[in-house]
Amino acid sequence: MSLRTLSLRALLLLGLWHTGRRGLASAPELQEQPKKIAVVGAGIGGTAAAFYLRQKFGAGVKIDVFESNIAGGRLATVKIGDYEYETGGSVIHPLNLHMKHFIERLGIPPRMDVGTKMAIFDGKELVFEESNWFIINFLRLLWRYGFNFLRMQMWVESVLDKFMRIYQYQQFGYSFSSVERLLHAMGGDSFLTLMNQTLEETMIGEGFSQLFINDIVAPITRVNYGQSVRINGFVGAVSLAGADSGLWAVDGGNKRVCTGLLYHSKSELINAKVTSISLKVRPSKRGNTASFYEINYVGESGAAHSLYDIVVIATPLHQGKSDITFSGFNPPIPSHYPGRYHQTVATLVHGMLNMSYLGTTEPASEFTVSDILTTDSKGCVINSLSSLDPVHIPDGYKRPPASQTKVWKVFSSNSLTQEQLQNMFLSYDTLFETPWLAYPAYRPPHRKTPPFILHNRLYYLNTVEWAASAMEMSAIAARNVALLAHHRWHEQIRKIDQEDLHTRLRGEL
Ligand SMILES: Cc1cc2nc3c(=O)[nH]c(=O)nc-3n(C[C@H](O)[C@H](O)[C@H](O)COP(=O)(O)OP(=O)(O)OC[C@H]3O[C@@H](n4cnc5c(N)ncnc54)[C@H](O)[C@@H]3O)c2cc1C
Ligand SMILES: *[C@@H]1O[C@H](CO)[C@@H](O)[C@H](O)[C@H]1NC(C)=O
Ligand SMILES: *[C@@H]1O[C@H](CO)[C@@H](O)[C@H](O)[C@H]1NC(C)=O
């Protein structure tokens, strides 16, 4: 996809962003505003939810964000020497408009671009290495894969075109009660089929060659989701879009967006672990009863609880991710939904790479590849190996060649053994390992995703990860949940689960 068409489309959409507001003339608000809203989790999902909740409910409501660890969640950095490096979510697509909007609102610049160069490793040797010359890459790929490459870009672009409809729907205030309905509104039945098929099945069906899928597509799904081409077609398309040009990151670290949104939304960060949420009925001012959610939490100063009108859960409700008990709900809400999260271990190593490990005789002083992807072959214990640049690029920075001691990031399903590390690196002095339960283990056929609405005014954001896990997906779910919460509070049901929005909104433009 050319950058020019990308940015043109982005401009069009951003234009819409600024003019679309007139569509939102709000009905006279009969009901009182909620007094207190809780968000559980201060990752990008929770902090974006706080931002959109403030936007929808105004200055009067108190918003508390609970976080048991540090704000940022799966967006995290470590310091090695004088610089910080991303260990979790790292790149953002140029058409991820919510993420773009956040940094503009917060006044944080994108990180300076240092360019990338890709290679593919099959466990024994480098089977492909990108040249500095575009035309050479193009001819090489054309020679081996025919028009598969071009067709892939067109296919990803057609999915992205439909994906982008969500921004218009949200701008006009529309929201959806389930991931399936949200996907259907974007891409109709074709998106539901994508969810229900493997990427491999989908691409074979679209006429791609098995050779291309094994050599090119599998390395991309392995680096982005640590899994094979048997992930679902939707997350597969998101993954392939993650190989587009123009990817960016946030200067100073992606997690800055989370702390920025917390500040901007004037919410209070409560450093505590939420242990349970229960439904409480209390007498109300006007003599009838009102129901509240009681959040029980444990912080530094011990256990406490508080009542809320609206609650948003912004952490996965899955084994190993969170252990919140729900009580007093009928039907009951489980602590853990079915399905598990896939482990990706991020190992950051400050050291000197062993070029022979890559089976290449190229001199290390000339090896400037930034991302080494891997094929799905038995000999491959790693999913990827990247030369990392710091979260803030100093003036005059140039990515050092492999002959210098520098920071590498290895993704693997399991912790690297001492022996594996010693084979990969001639020497190293610092090592940071983060074993992430990173994203869902995607295994189509599709099982129904958990709902966005767990109870009347209790919402769940991370169900969206079963379509695809990415910062922008959490941001989209955050806005959806804030809209849902607002419309349901004010009983504006015509803004929920509307069919055929795409054709209907075309007239409103
Ligand atoms: C290694 C890796 C690489 C990735 N690469 C990319 C990428 O390049 N681009 C991209 O877009 N995405 C990427 N992702 C995915 C992306 O990071 C996630 O989709 C996104 O950060 C999820 O954000 P979230 O706020 O929904 O969840 P989280 O970030 O997981 O936030 C949930 C928060 O809730 C807190 N919490 C949990 N339980 C409780 C409790 N009981 N009480 C209080 N707090 C609680 C947690 O501590 C956590 O901070 C990557 C992820 C990983 C792990
Ligand atoms: C997914 O596929 C299975 C069979 O493979 C089918 O029974 C099911 O209805 C499909 N679900 C959706 C949502 O398309
Ligand atoms: C470098 O890698 C090669 C190939 O895997 C291995 O045989 C050799 O022992 C490694 N060198 C060092 C110093 O570990």
Side-chain angles (χ1 to χ4, degrees), residues 164-451:
M164 303 288 291
R165 291 175 184 166
I166 190 62
Y167 297 116
Q168 189 191 11
Y169 302 160
Q170 294 193 329
Q171 187 57 52
F172 281 90
Y174 290 100
S175 59
F176 305 91
S177 64
S178 71
V179 174
E180 285 81 3
R181 283 180 185 272
L182 188 145
L183 288 180
H184 193 266
M186 292 192 220
D189 292 341
S190 75
F191 270 25
L192 293 182
T193 310
L194 279 181
M195 276 284 278
N196 207 15
Q197 283 185 343
T198 67
L199 177 63
E200 187 173 34
E201 285 163 354
T202 307
M203 292 189 82
I204 295 278
E206 294 278 334
F208 290 91
S209 75
Q210 191 71 54
L211 180 76
F212 180 75
I213 293 174
N214 297 346
D215 288 5
I216 303 292
V217 178
I220 296 176
T221 61
R222 282 167 65 81
V223 65
N224 285 332
Y225 288 101
Q227 298 167 65
S228 74
V229 290
R230 264 91 62 201
I231 58 176
N232 79 60
F234 186 80
V235 69
V238 169
S239 185
L240 294 178
D244 274 343
S245 54
L247 300 180
W248 58 282
V250 179
D251 186 55
N254 296 324
K255 69 176 183 192
R256 280 182 77 192
V257 175
C258 303
T259 42
L261 290 173
L262 276 174
Y263 177 82
H264 193 277
S265 66
K266 297 190 168 59
S267 35
E268 185 178 345
L269 179 65
I270 300 179
N271 213 250
K273 185 182 168 72
V274 171
T275 50
S276 70
I277 299 177
S278 41
L279 185 61
K280 298 279 164 178
V281 180
R282 294 272 186 276
S284 81
K285 201 160 56 187
R286 296 202 193 98
N288 35 20
T289 58
S291 60
F292 296 94
Y293 300 108
E294 182 184 84
I295 293 205
N296 293 273
Y297 57 95
V298 182
E300 255 176 15
S301 48
H305 55 82
S306 285
L307 292 179
Y308 294 91
D309 299 301
I310 295 174
V311 175
V312 174
I313 312 281
T315 172
L317 294 173
H318 286 276
Q319 197 76 49
K321 297 296 286 178
S322 64
D323 289 295
I324 303 168
T325 327
F326 295 89
S327 62
F329 295 96
N330 190 13
I333 301 170
S335 290
H336 300 134
Y337 280 97
R340 60 175 189 87
Y341 268 59
H342 180 86
Q343 174 171 281
T344 287
V345 180
T347 310
L348 271 60
V349 180
H350 183 250
M352 175 93 77
L353 189 68
N354 173 10
M355 291 291 288
S356 319
Y357 174 80
L358 297 175
T360 173
T361 51
E362 226 175 300
S365 58
E366 279 161 36
F367 191 74
T368 53
V369 168
S370 58
D371 300 281
I372 300 158
L373 317 189
T374 62
T375 57
D376 197 353
S377 53
K378 274 220 179 63
C380 262
V381 292
I382 61 166
N383 289 336
S384 62
L385 166 67
S386 315
S387 168
L388 269 199
D389 303 308
V391 294
H392 174 74
I393 307 290
D395 277 341
Y397 176 86
K398 233 181 126 202
R399 184 179 299 120
S403 54
Q404 294 180 26
T405 296
K406 59 169 173 169
V407 178
W408 296 88
K409 177 166 76 179
V410 186
F411 279 157
S412 54
S413 295
N414 296 301
S415 283
L416 297 171
T417 63
Q418 198 71 19
E419 197 188 332
Q420 286 163 343
L421 282 162
Q422 278 169 1
N423 203 11
M424 294 172 75
F425 296 96
L426 298 175
S427 63
Y428 59 88
D429 52 38
T430 319
L431 186 143
F432 270 103
E433 187 195 76
T434 316
W436 294 107
L437 276 180
Y439 15 65
Y442 296 105
R443 294 233 175 78
H446 172 59
R447 104 161 55 79
K448 199 164 170 293
T449 54

Side-chain angles (χ1 to χ4, degrees), residues 40-47 66-75 87-92 96 223-225 272-275 314-316 321-324 344 346 409 411 436-439 461-462 465 468-472 474:
V40 183
I44 187 66
T47 56
F66 291 89
E67 173 55 60
S68 56
N69 204 330
I70 35 175
R74 276 171 275 169
L75 308 181
T87 65
S90 54
V91 292
I92 305 166
N96 284 172
V223 65
N224 285 332
Y225 288 101
K273 185 182 168 72
V274 171
T275 50
T315 172
K321 297 296 286 178
S322 64
D323 289 295
I324 303 168
T344 287
K409 177 166 76 179
F411 279 157
W436 294 107
L437 276 180
Y439 15 65
L461 195 145
N462 292 72
E465 289 189 69
S469 176
M471 295 173 231
E472 186 73 4
S474 289

